[in-house]
Amino acid sequence: MEQRTISAPDVGKVTLIGAGPGDPELLTLKAARALGAAEVVLIDDLVDRRCLVHARPGARIIEVGKRGGCKSTPQAFIERLMIRCARQGRTVARLKGGDPFVFGRGGEELQALRAAGMEVEVIPGITAGIGVPATLGIPVTHRNLARGVTFVTGHARDGAEPDWAALARTGTTLVIYMGLKRLGRIASSLMQAGMKRDTPACAIENGTLETQRQVIGTLADLATDVMDRGLDGPAIIVVGDVVRCAGIAGVVPVRRAA
Ligand code: SAH
């Protein structure tokens, strides 16, 4: 490997950490250890603050909001901040919701940090698209029901829509992140593409947290049911036969809110 001399001050390390879908107990042991070692922690607004019990006393905690494309800390600013702290020789932890590499911009941050010559470690987390359906006993794949799963975002910031018709044809479970606001359109597109109206579908809000709520039904009715129940928090939408497993005997839905 090429030898490189890094001039003083020492370059610190940045760890991109997945905090899991919500419940702070879903943080991994490795994540907790890395948090305890960090001098600076940048935390996303979707991450439950109880995760910070693992931070070391006196660590600098920086909140970097970034919800649904609205008022948020610009990505370039976050990247510059991490680089600056690490260049000061500090150990930096970047705590992100779910898994840092699933719709979390972790890939972009990794590239920016590497380009700046940083040492980067990535600690995966449980992504909402798997961990949240699991609270209801919904497996995203199942030998008899779904041979695969597709993770897709429903939030089209640049106006570009996922190819719902192509996704409908895959026959895989569809796990849709950031899709709640466009659920009506998404469901219509899937049905126009030939997906059956009675395809089981659900929306789960604030999954794994005490405030979790869900609506379970069919593709045709889900958008209306979601509106009736007033779901508006971060939500995962699952479309496919696996949704039939929700609440099957022996699986107790976790902290199902009234
Ligand atoms: N990196 C994250 C996803 C970030 S995008 C992960 O791997 O989970 C943010 C979207 O994730 C939300 O809009 C929502 O669709 C989903 N999400 C995150 N936390 C959630 C939760 N507790 N319950 C339901 N959906 C959640």
Side-chain angles (χ1 to χ4, degrees):
M1 228 170 86
E2 184 196 336
Q3 280 272 308
R4 274 199 293 174
T5 327
I6 296 163
S7 54
D10 286 338
V11 170
K13 183 178 156 183
V14 181
T15 311
L16 299 179
I17 305 175
D23 180 347
E25 292 210 314
L26 291 171
L27 201 72
T28 64
L29 294 174
K30 206 173 173 79
R33 184 192 48 70
L35 265 178
E39 294 162 287
V40 180
V41 179
L42 285 86
I43 181 168
D44 268 1
D45 63 2
L46 263 189
V47 176
D48 194 290
R49 294 305 181 259
R50 287 172 290 179
C51 292
L52 292 173
V53 296
H54 302 287
R56 71 152 88 160
R60 186 175 163 208
I61 310 292
I62 305 173
E63 315 241 347
V64 283
K66 182 167 269 309
R67 187 168 293 186
C70 55
K71 214 170 130 217
S72 62
T73 316
Q75 185 66 18
F77 175 83
I78 297 173
E79 288 164 7
R80 279 202 304 273
L81 188 61
M82 287 193 283
I83 292 166
R84 197 170 69 218
C85 292
R87 286 217 170 112
Q88 288 164 351
R90 301 219 171 87
T91 308
V92 179
R94 171 83 170 102
L95 193 56
K96 301 171 79 73
D99 183 274
F101 283 175
V102 180
F103 304 123
R105 297 219 183 176
E108 289 164 49
E109 292 179 10
L110 178 72
Q111 284 171 328
L113 291 163
R114 288 244 173 95
M118 304 285 116
E119 185 191 338
V120 188
E121 185 186 359
V122 182
I123 300 180
I126 299 174
T127 189
I130 295 175
V132 168
T135 63
L136 301 179
I138 299 173
V140 291
T141 70
H142 184 297
R143 276 207 298 178
N144 304 329
L145 300 172
R147 284 189 281 168
V149 54
T150 305
F151 297 106
V152 63
T153 172
H155 173 74
R157 205 179 66 181
D158 54 2
E161 284 277 327
D163 186 344
W164 296 112
L167 290 171
R169 282 195 300 272
T170 62
T172 63
T173 303
L174 297 184
V175 173
I176 306 164
Y177 292 68
M178 296 171 273
L180 203 60
K181 296 216 167 67
R182 306 170 70 86
L183 183 53
R185 274 188 61 178
I186 294 170
S188 313
S189 305
L190 290 171
M191 289 184 290
Q192 269 165 26
M195 207 178 247
K196 291 204 182 92
R197 292 174 57 80
D198 63 356
T199 304
C202 73
I204 313 161
E205 169 192 79
N206 295 328
T208 77
L209 292 164
E210 294 82 350
T211 49
Q212 174 169 337
R213 294 194 299 168
Q214 53 273 323
V215 173
I216 301 168
T218 62
L219 188 58
D221 296 332
L222 193 66
T224 316
D225 294 349
V226 159
M227 256 199 320
D228 290 348
R229 285 285 303 278
L231 261 59
D232 66 352
I236 283 291
I237 296 155
V238 187
V239 181
D241 286 334
V242 290
V243 173
R244 277 197 254 133
C245 299
I248 52 174
V251 177
V252 182
V254 180
R255 298 178 191 147
R256 190 190 282 249

